mmCIF file of all heavy atoms in Angstrom:
data_model
loop_
_atom_site.group_PDB
_atom_site.id
_atom_site.type_symbol
_atom_site.label_atom_id
_atom_site.label_comp_id
_atom_site.label_asym_id
_atom_site.label_seq_id
_atom_site.Cartn_x
_atom_site.Cartn_y
_atom_site.Cartn_z
ATOM 1 N N LYS A 1 -23.717 -47.521 -38.175
ATOM 2 C CA LYS A 1 -24.245 -46.311 -38.802
ATOM 3 C C LYS A 1 -23.268 -45.797 -39.847
ATOM 4 O O LYS A 1 -22.065 -45.847 -39.662
ATOM 5 C CB LYS A 1 -24.492 -45.234 -37.753
ATOM 6 C CG LYS A 1 -25.087 -43.963 -38.312
ATOM 7 C CD LYS A 1 -25.374 -42.962 -37.209
ATOM 8 C CE LYS A 1 -25.976 -41.689 -37.776
ATOM 9 N NZ LYS A 1 -26.301 -40.701 -36.712
ATOM 10 N N ARG A 2 -23.815 -45.299 -40.966
ATOM 11 C CA ARG A 2 -22.964 -44.725 -41.996
ATOM 12 C C ARG A 2 -22.817 -43.225 -41.728
ATOM 13 O O ARG A 2 -23.805 -42.506 -41.603
ATOM 14 C CB ARG A 2 -23.534 -44.951 -43.392
ATOM 15 C CG ARG A 2 -22.644 -44.375 -44.491
ATOM 16 C CD ARG A 2 -23.118 -44.718 -45.884
ATOM 17 N NE ARG A 2 -22.192 -44.216 -46.878
ATOM 18 C CZ ARG A 2 -21.069 -44.814 -47.248
ATOM 19 N NH1 ARG A 2 -20.740 -45.972 -46.694
ATOM 20 N NH2 ARG A 2 -20.275 -44.285 -48.158
ATOM 21 N N LEU A 3 -21.585 -42.790 -41.662
ATOM 22 C CA LEU A 3 -21.295 -41.385 -41.405
ATOM 23 C C LEU A 3 -20.760 -40.729 -42.655
ATOM 24 O O LEU A 3 -19.977 -41.325 -43.404
ATOM 25 C CB LEU A 3 -20.268 -41.244 -40.277
ATOM 26 C CG LEU A 3 -20.665 -41.757 -38.891
ATOM 27 C CD1 LEU A 3 -19.504 -41.623 -37.928
ATOM 28 C CD2 LEU A 3 -21.879 -41.002 -38.372
ATOM 29 N N GLY A 4 -21.185 -39.504 -42.893
ATOM 30 C CA GLY A 4 -20.621 -38.695 -43.954
ATOM 31 C C GLY A 4 -19.503 -37.837 -43.413
ATOM 32 O O GLY A 4 -19.308 -37.714 -42.199
ATOM 33 N N VAL A 5 -18.749 -37.226 -44.317
ATOM 34 C CA VAL A 5 -17.670 -36.349 -43.893
ATOM 35 C C VAL A 5 -18.253 -35.183 -43.094
ATOM 36 O O VAL A 5 -19.228 -34.565 -43.493
ATOM 37 C CB VAL A 5 -16.881 -35.835 -45.105
ATOM 38 C CG1 VAL A 5 -15.795 -34.864 -44.667
ATOM 39 C CG2 VAL A 5 -16.274 -36.994 -45.872
ATOM 40 N N ASN A 6 -17.691 -34.934 -41.925
ATOM 41 C CA ASN A 6 -18.080 -33.841 -41.032
ATOM 42 C C ASN A 6 -19.384 -34.109 -40.278
ATOM 43 O O ASN A 6 -19.923 -33.200 -39.647
ATOM 44 C CB ASN A 6 -18.196 -32.514 -41.793
ATOM 45 C CG ASN A 6 -17.897 -31.324 -40.915
ATOM 46 O OD1 ASN A 6 -17.054 -31.401 -40.016
ATOM 47 N ND2 ASN A 6 -18.595 -30.224 -41.130
ATOM 48 N N ASP A 7 -19.891 -35.345 -40.311
ATOM 49 C CA ASP A 7 -21.048 -35.683 -39.470
ATOM 50 C C ASP A 7 -20.611 -35.699 -38.003
ATOM 51 O O ASP A 7 -19.519 -36.162 -37.667
ATOM 52 C CB ASP A 7 -21.611 -37.054 -39.850
ATOM 53 C CG ASP A 7 -22.497 -36.971 -41.086
ATOM 54 O OD1 ASP A 7 -22.718 -35.841 -41.571
ATOM 55 O OD2 ASP A 7 -22.953 -38.028 -41.564
ATOM 56 N N ARG A 8 -21.490 -35.179 -37.121
ATOM 57 C CA ARG A 8 -21.154 -35.099 -35.701
ATOM 58 C C ARG A 8 -21.203 -36.483 -35.054
ATOM 59 O O ARG A 8 -22.140 -37.244 -35.237
ATOM 60 C CB ARG A 8 -22.111 -34.144 -34.974
ATOM 61 C CG ARG A 8 -21.798 -33.962 -33.508
ATOM 62 C CD ARG A 8 -22.555 -32.760 -32.944
ATOM 63 N NE ARG A 8 -23.973 -32.872 -33.181
ATOM 64 C CZ ARG A 8 -24.819 -33.561 -32.401
ATOM 65 N NH1 ARG A 8 -24.353 -34.192 -31.341
ATOM 66 N NH2 ARG A 8 -26.100 -33.616 -32.677
ATOM 67 N N VAL A 9 -20.172 -36.778 -34.276
ATOM 68 C CA VAL A 9 -20.104 -38.022 -33.512
ATOM 69 C C VAL A 9 -20.557 -37.780 -32.074
ATOM 70 O O VAL A 9 -21.408 -38.483 -31.546
ATOM 71 C CB VAL A 9 -18.670 -38.604 -33.540
ATOM 72 C CG1 VAL A 9 -18.563 -39.822 -32.630
ATOM 73 C CG2 VAL A 9 -18.271 -38.953 -34.965
ATOM 74 N N ALA A 10 -19.982 -36.773 -31.410
ATOM 75 C CA ALA A 10 -20.328 -36.425 -30.031
ATOM 76 C C ALA A 10 -19.668 -35.086 -29.718
ATOM 77 O O ALA A 10 -18.851 -34.575 -30.487
ATOM 78 C CB ALA A 10 -19.875 -37.501 -29.048
ATOM 79 N N THR A 11 -20.030 -34.527 -28.571
ATOM 80 C CA THR A 11 -19.396 -33.308 -28.078
ATOM 81 C C THR A 11 -18.567 -33.661 -26.855
ATOM 82 O O THR A 11 -19.048 -34.339 -25.948
ATOM 83 C CB THR A 11 -20.443 -32.244 -27.724
ATOM 84 O OG1 THR A 11 -21.213 -31.943 -28.893
ATOM 85 C CG2 THR A 11 -19.769 -30.971 -27.236
ATOM 86 N N LEU A 12 -17.312 -33.197 -26.840
ATOM 87 C CA LEU A 12 -16.373 -33.521 -25.772
ATOM 88 C C LEU A 12 -16.085 -32.273 -24.947
ATOM 89 O O LEU A 12 -15.690 -31.241 -25.483
ATOM 90 C CB LEU A 12 -15.076 -34.079 -26.363
ATOM 91 C CG LEU A 12 -13.951 -34.406 -25.379
ATOM 92 C CD1 LEU A 12 -14.366 -35.553 -24.461
ATOM 93 C CD2 LEU A 12 -12.669 -34.765 -26.134
ATOM 94 N N VAL A 13 -16.294 -32.382 -23.632
ATOM 95 C CA VAL A 13 -16.006 -31.291 -22.688
ATOM 96 C C VAL A 13 -14.705 -31.620 -21.969
ATOM 97 O O VAL A 13 -14.556 -32.715 -21.411
ATOM 98 C CB VAL A 13 -17.153 -31.122 -21.676
ATOM 99 C CG1 VAL A 13 -16.809 -30.055 -20.649
ATOM 100 C CG2 VAL A 13 -18.449 -30.774 -22.389
ATOM 101 N N ASP A 14 -13.777 -30.686 -21.983
ATOM 102 C CA ASP A 14 -12.487 -30.885 -21.324
ATOM 103 C C ASP A 14 -12.689 -30.904 -19.807
ATOM 104 O O ASP A 14 -13.115 -29.909 -19.213
ATOM 105 C CB ASP A 14 -11.530 -29.764 -21.715
ATOM 106 C CG ASP A 14 -10.103 -30.033 -21.255
ATOM 107 O OD1 ASP A 14 -9.904 -30.969 -20.453
ATOM 108 O OD2 ASP A 14 -9.196 -29.314 -21.697
ATOM 109 N N ALA A 15 -12.376 -32.046 -19.180
ATOM 110 C CA ALA A 15 -12.568 -32.173 -17.727
ATOM 111 C C ALA A 15 -11.585 -31.328 -16.946
ATOM 112 O O ALA A 15 -11.849 -30.966 -15.796
ATOM 113 C CB ALA A 15 -12.427 -33.645 -17.318
ATOM 114 N N GLY A 16 -10.458 -31.003 -17.537
ATOM 115 C CA GLY A 16 -9.452 -30.227 -16.830
ATOM 116 C C GLY A 16 -9.576 -28.736 -17.029
ATOM 117 O O GLY A 16 -8.750 -27.976 -16.521
ATOM 118 N N ARG A 17 -10.600 -28.293 -17.764
ATOM 119 C CA ARG A 17 -10.767 -26.862 -18.023
ATOM 120 C C ARG A 17 -12.229 -26.469 -17.821
ATOM 121 O O ARG A 17 -12.940 -26.145 -18.760
ATOM 122 C CB ARG A 17 -10.319 -26.508 -19.440
ATOM 123 C CG ARG A 17 -8.833 -26.673 -19.663
ATOM 124 C CD ARG A 17 -8.401 -26.114 -21.008
ATOM 125 N NE ARG A 17 -8.650 -24.682 -21.105
ATOM 126 C CZ ARG A 17 -8.328 -23.959 -22.179
ATOM 127 N NH1 ARG A 17 -7.744 -24.523 -23.216
ATOM 128 N NH2 ARG A 17 -8.583 -22.670 -22.205
ATOM 129 N N LEU A 18 -12.657 -26.515 -16.547
ATOM 130 C CA LEU A 18 -13.993 -26.051 -16.190
ATOM 131 C C LEU A 18 -13.877 -24.645 -15.617
ATOM 132 O O LEU A 18 -13.021 -24.368 -14.776
ATOM 133 C CB LEU A 18 -14.644 -26.993 -15.171
ATOM 134 C CG LEU A 18 -14.970 -28.402 -15.665
ATOM 135 C CD1 LEU A 18 -15.598 -29.221 -14.552
ATOM 136 C CD2 LEU A 18 -15.900 -28.354 -16.871
ATOM 137 N N ASP A 19 -14.740 -23.756 -16.081
ATOM 138 C CA ASP A 19 -14.739 -22.368 -15.633
ATOM 139 C C ASP A 19 -16.017 -22.058 -14.876
ATOM 140 O O ASP A 19 -17.052 -22.713 -15.076
ATOM 141 C CB ASP A 19 -14.625 -21.410 -16.824
ATOM 142 C CG ASP A 19 -13.277 -21.500 -17.515
ATOM 143 O OD1 ASP A 19 -12.347 -22.071 -16.904
ATOM 144 O OD2 ASP A 19 -13.153 -21.012 -18.641
ATOM 145 N N VAL A 20 -15.939 -21.040 -14.022
ATOM 146 C CA VAL A 20 -17.114 -20.482 -13.365
ATOM 147 C C VAL A 20 -17.393 -19.136 -14.007
ATOM 148 O O VAL A 20 -16.522 -18.265 -14.036
ATOM 149 C CB VAL A 20 -16.902 -20.315 -11.849
ATOM 150 C CG1 VAL A 20 -18.109 -19.643 -11.219
ATOM 151 C CG2 VAL A 20 -16.667 -21.659 -11.199
ATOM 152 N N ARG A 21 -18.609 -18.992 -14.542
ATOM 153 C CA ARG A 21 -18.998 -17.724 -15.162
ATOM 154 C C ARG A 21 -19.907 -16.970 -14.198
ATOM 155 O O ARG A 21 -20.930 -17.485 -13.753
ATOM 156 C CB ARG A 21 -19.723 -17.962 -16.479
ATOM 157 C CG ARG A 21 -20.146 -16.677 -17.193
ATOM 158 C CD ARG A 21 -20.762 -17.004 -18.535
ATOM 159 N NE ARG A 21 -21.952 -17.823 -18.380
ATOM 160 C CZ ARG A 21 -22.499 -18.537 -19.362
ATOM 161 N NH1 ARG A 21 -21.939 -18.543 -20.552
ATOM 162 N NH2 ARG A 21 -23.580 -19.254 -19.154
ATOM 163 N N VAL A 22 -19.513 -15.742 -13.874
ATOM 164 C CA VAL A 22 -20.241 -14.908 -12.922
ATOM 165 C C VAL A 22 -20.635 -13.616 -13.610
ATOM 166 O O VAL A 22 -19.793 -12.975 -14.255
ATOM 167 C CB VAL A 22 -19.379 -14.599 -11.677
ATOM 168 C CG1 VAL A 22 -20.145 -13.709 -10.719
ATOM 169 C CG2 VAL A 22 -18.961 -15.892 -10.987
ATOM 170 N N HIS A 23 -21.907 -13.244 -13.485
ATOM 171 C CA HIS A 23 -22.363 -11.963 -14.025
ATOM 172 C C HIS A 23 -22.383 -10.943 -12.894
ATOM 173 O O HIS A 23 -23.058 -11.126 -11.887
ATOM 174 C CB HIS A 23 -23.746 -12.092 -14.643
ATOM 175 C CG HIS A 23 -24.232 -10.814 -15.267
ATOM 176 N ND1 HIS A 23 -23.853 -10.420 -16.529
ATOM 177 C CD2 HIS A 23 -25.036 -9.831 -14.777
ATOM 178 C CE1 HIS A 23 -24.402 -9.261 -16.800
ATOM 179 N NE2 HIS A 23 -25.126 -8.880 -15.753
ATOM 180 N N LEU A 24 -21.613 -9.877 -13.067
ATOM 181 C CA LEU A 24 -21.493 -8.846 -12.046
ATOM 182 C C LEU A 24 -22.160 -7.563 -12.520
ATOM 183 O O LEU A 24 -22.023 -7.182 -13.689
ATOM 184 C CB LEU A 24 -20.014 -8.563 -11.750
ATOM 185 C CG LEU A 24 -19.186 -9.734 -11.227
ATOM 186 C CD1 LEU A 24 -17.728 -9.327 -11.133
ATOM 187 C CD2 LEU A 24 -19.695 -10.207 -9.877
ATOM 188 N N SER A 25 -22.864 -6.918 -11.619
ATOM 189 C CA SER A 25 -23.410 -5.607 -11.927
ATOM 190 C C SER A 25 -22.294 -4.569 -11.914
ATOM 191 O O SER A 25 -21.168 -4.853 -11.483
ATOM 192 C CB SER A 25 -24.490 -5.227 -10.913
ATOM 193 O OG SER A 25 -23.907 -5.058 -9.624
ATOM 194 N N ASN A 26 -22.625 -3.380 -12.372
ATOM 195 C CA ASN A 26 -21.625 -2.312 -12.403
ATOM 196 C C ASN A 26 -21.116 -2.004 -10.995
ATOM 197 O O ASN A 26 -19.925 -1.788 -10.776
ATOM 198 C CB ASN A 26 -22.241 -1.067 -13.040
ATOM 199 C CG ASN A 26 -21.193 -0.015 -13.338
ATOM 200 O OD1 ASN A 26 -20.085 -0.330 -13.751
ATOM 201 N ND2 ASN A 26 -21.530 1.244 -13.110
ATOM 202 N N ARG A 27 -22.034 -2.023 -10.015
ATOM 203 C CA ARG A 27 -21.655 -1.736 -8.627
ATOM 204 C C ARG A 27 -20.774 -2.849 -8.060
ATOM 205 O O ARG A 27 -19.771 -2.589 -7.388
ATOM 206 C CB ARG A 27 -22.912 -1.568 -7.786
ATOM 207 C CG ARG A 27 -22.662 -1.284 -6.314
ATOM 208 C CD ARG A 27 -23.966 -0.969 -5.599
ATOM 209 N NE ARG A 27 -23.754 -0.813 -4.174
ATOM 210 C CZ ARG A 27 -23.799 -1.811 -3.300
ATOM 211 N NH1 ARG A 27 -24.062 -3.043 -3.727
ATOM 212 N NH2 ARG A 27 -23.591 -1.597 -2.014
ATOM 213 N N GLN A 28 -21.131 -4.099 -8.333
ATOM 214 C CA GLN A 28 -20.335 -5.220 -7.839
ATOM 215 C C GLN A 28 -18.950 -5.229 -8.468
ATOM 216 O O GLN A 28 -17.949 -5.502 -7.793
ATOM 217 C CB GLN A 28 -21.055 -6.537 -8.125
ATOM 218 C CG GLN A 28 -22.311 -6.743 -7.294
ATOM 219 C CD GLN A 28 -23.086 -7.959 -7.747
ATOM 220 O OE1 GLN A 28 -23.086 -8.306 -8.936
ATOM 221 N NE2 GLN A 28 -23.768 -8.602 -6.810
ATOM 222 N N PHE A 29 -18.885 -4.938 -9.754
ATOM 223 C CA PHE A 29 -17.586 -4.918 -10.431
ATOM 224 C C PHE A 29 -16.696 -3.823 -9.848
ATOM 225 O O PHE A 29 -15.481 -4.003 -9.693
ATOM 226 C CB PHE A 29 -17.788 -4.701 -11.928
ATOM 227 C CG PHE A 29 -16.540 -4.843 -12.737
ATOM 228 C CD1 PHE A 29 -15.881 -6.060 -12.829
ATOM 229 C CD2 PHE A 29 -15.997 -3.766 -13.412
ATOM 230 C CE1 PHE A 29 -14.721 -6.201 -13.564
ATOM 231 C CE2 PHE A 29 -14.836 -3.886 -14.156
ATOM 232 C CZ PHE A 29 -14.209 -5.113 -14.226
ATOM 233 N N GLY A 30 -17.296 -2.690 -9.494
ATOM 234 C CA GLY A 30 -16.531 -1.613 -8.888
ATOM 235 C C GLY A 30 -15.984 -1.980 -7.527
ATOM 236 O O GLY A 30 -14.948 -1.453 -7.105
ATOM 237 N N ARG A 31 -16.666 -2.895 -6.804
ATOM 238 C CA ARG A 31 -16.173 -3.326 -5.498
ATOM 239 C C ARG A 31 -15.003 -4.291 -5.617
ATOM 240 O O ARG A 31 -14.313 -4.558 -4.634
ATOM 241 C CB ARG A 31 -17.303 -3.995 -4.717
ATOM 242 C CG ARG A 31 -18.405 -3.044 -4.276
ATOM 243 C CD ARG A 31 -19.525 -3.782 -3.581
ATOM 244 N NE ARG A 31 -19.038 -4.503 -2.406
ATOM 245 C CZ ARG A 31 -19.807 -5.309 -1.670
ATOM 246 N NH1 ARG A 31 -21.076 -5.477 -1.977
ATOM 247 N NH2 ARG A 31 -19.288 -5.931 -0.629
ATOM 248 N N LEU A 32 -14.758 -4.819 -6.812
ATOM 249 C CA LEU A 32 -13.683 -5.802 -6.983
ATOM 250 C C LEU A 32 -12.386 -5.182 -7.467
ATOM 251 O O LEU A 32 -11.301 -5.675 -7.155
ATOM 252 C CB LEU A 32 -14.117 -6.878 -7.984
ATOM 253 C CG LEU A 32 -15.259 -7.806 -7.557
ATOM 254 C CD1 LEU A 32 -15.572 -8.773 -8.670
ATOM 255 C CD2 LEU A 32 -14.910 -8.552 -6.287
ATOM 256 N N VAL A 33 -12.465 -4.134 -8.258
ATOM 257 C CA VAL A 33 -11.261 -3.596 -8.872
ATOM 258 C C VAL A 33 -10.887 -2.280 -8.229
ATOM 259 O O VAL A 33 -11.739 -1.482 -7.855
ATOM 260 C CB VAL A 33 -11.460 -3.398 -10.400
ATOM 261 C CG1 VAL A 33 -11.663 -4.722 -11.073
ATOM 262 C CG2 VAL A 33 -12.649 -2.491 -10.695
#
């Protein structure tokens, strides 16, 4: 395949930097802090 400058090859996810995203309500957040 012919690629141009800045053409996307793939997306890389860092295996050593996985996060858990949690959505907390105002009441739940108050119970944590």
